[in-house]
Amino acid sequence: MDFRDDVDLDASQVENRGGGGGIGGGGLAIGGGAVGVIALLVALIFGINPGDIMGRNGGGDTAAQPSSDLSGQCRKGSDADQSEDCRVVGVVNSIQAYWKVAFAQRGKESYTKARTVLFSQAVSTGCGQATSQVGPFYCPGDKRVYLDLTFFDELQSKFGASGGPFAQAYVIAHEYGHHVQDLLGTMDRVRGDRQGAESASVRLELQADCYAGVWAKNAVDTGFYEKPFTGTDIKEALDAAAAVGDDRIQEKAQGRVDPEAFTHGTAAQRTKWFSTGYKTGEPARCDTFSGRI
């Protein structure tokens, strides 16, 4: 996954808030010990709204935590090849460049950019207070993607993924898939249908996986990458998608699989829909709300 050395990066699309922003009174209530923690991860890894589970204890103040400016260190594609923070900037820039063009080509309303917020340990969001335990998520309340980079270590150590730079890119692209769904009004289709093998929640997540694959297919055309992604890159994404399938996480957490509690789809479904997006390169092929999934 090599960036073009001379391409300009727009670091304003990524905020680095670092640590702080504690949980405050009430905080994050998790029951059931280790199983409870994993249940939260099942619900929220690649999720869309932690406020539904965590509570909204004064979480709208996103300006409470100072952000460090990445513009001084993330200027060119060559910086993205050397620094993890700058790689996130490059990936975000490419994803949003793709969706801007895709919206225009399909006669949709103009694509509105969303910032990614890098944080450590805890963060205040428009959807409530969040900790690193939540995993990466998109908050429709403030139109931001939230990411603690230590999650990628856990993706390997806790979930058995092989990891790698493109596994990170897949996660980020999935979260921006949720932003696209927010802009298009697709999130409204979920409402109270949040659990079950055929639920709207699962369909929403699988569509975001498909959108991630669509970006991957078209990424080189955004001008940020030297060449198309390799088979090794795509394998990293597929491996990450499979590692966080509901069935695999439930099996590890409780020794059995309960389809009625699915929120994100099985390992096979997640890899299937990422592959669908990658093979076709067409957002229209990501209709997970029609028929079986």
Side-chain angles (χ1 to χ4, degrees):
M1 195 175 87
D2 296 323
F3 288 87
R4 284 179 46 198
D5 288 346
D6 61 344
V7 70
D8 291 324
L9 299 183
D10 178 6
S12 70
Q13 295 181 25
V14 179
E15 304 174 33
N16 190 349
R17 295 192 191 170
I23 298 305
L28 183 64
I30 304 174
V35 173
V37 173
I38 294 175
L40 179 69
L41 289 170
V42 170
L44 293 175
I45 287 172
F46 309 133
I48 61 173
N49 195 340
D52 290 341
I53 290 179
M54 299 185 306
R56 298 178 181 274
N57 49 336
D61 185 9
T62 58
Q65 293 160 253
S67 300
S68 61
D69 189 357
L70 293 173
S71 61
Q73 68 186 77
C74 304
R75 298 180 177 180
K76 294 288 185 179
S78 55
D79 298 322
D81 286 327
Q82 301 297 321
S83 160
E84 185 173 38
D85 285 358
C86 296
R87 182 165 68 236
V88 171
V89 172
V91 170
V92 169
N93 286 176
S94 174
I95 292 169
Q96 302 212 90
Y98 166 70
W99 284 112
K100 179 180 179 180
V101 172
F103 269 51
Q105 288 177 338
R106 288 159 181 79
K108 303 293 184 183
E109 293 184 10
S110 297
Y111 175 79
T112 303
K113 292 179 181 178
R115 288 186 177 182
T116 286
V117 177
L118 304 180
F119 72 97
S120 175
Q121 299 181 345
V123 66
S124 176
T125 84
C127 296
Q129 304 284 355
T131 73
S132 300
Q133 291 175 317
V134 172
F137 63 93
Y138 170 70
C139 172
D142 57 21
K143 311 290 189 202
R144 283 173 168 82
V145 169
Y146 288 87
L147 177 64
D148 185 336
L149 292 176
T150 61
F151 167 77
F152 296 112
D153 295 328
E154 295 185 353
L155 192 59
Q156 294 177 267
S157 62
K158 289 186 178 181
F159 301 102
S162 60
F166 200 78
Q168 296 183 7
Y170 153 68
V171 170
I172 297 169
H174 174 104
E175 296 309 332
Y176 274 92
H178 284 314
H179 178 55
V180 169
Q181 292 168 327
D182 189 17
L183 295 177
L184 296 178
T186 313
M187 284 187 178
D188 295 337
R189 303 181 70 167
V190 176
R191 299 185 183 277
D193 190 11
R194 294 183 174 274
Q195 281 192 326
E198 295 287 332
S199 66
S201 176
V202 167
R203 293 175 185 274
L204 193 79
E205 297 297 333
L206 295 178
Q207 185 178 66
D209 281 333
C210 187
Y211 284 162
V214 168
W215 162 74
K217 180 67 172 181
N218 295 282
V220 71
D221 295 331
T222 66
F224 285 88
Y225 294 97
E226 193 70 41
K227 54 188 177 182
F229 298 129
T230 66
T232 299
D233 292 328
I234 302 306
K235 184 178 179 180
E236 289 178 2
L238 292 172
D239 186 69
V244 291
D246 282 328
D247 52 340
R248 290 200 184 181
I249 295 179
Q250 287 183 354
E251 184 68 38
K252 287 185 179 183
Q254 56 198 28
R256 61 184 177 84
V257 175
D258 178 12
E260 292 302 312
F262 284 179
T263 58
H264 289 68
T266 66
Q269 287 174 321
R270 301 200 73 160
T271 56
K272 167 192 169 181
W273 282 101
F274 175 87
S275 297
T276 296
Y278 182 69
K279 289 176 181 177
T280 66
E282 289 291 336
R285 298 294 295 275
C286 297
D287 182 9
T288 56
F289 286 86
S290 299
R292 295 185 60 82
I293 49 178

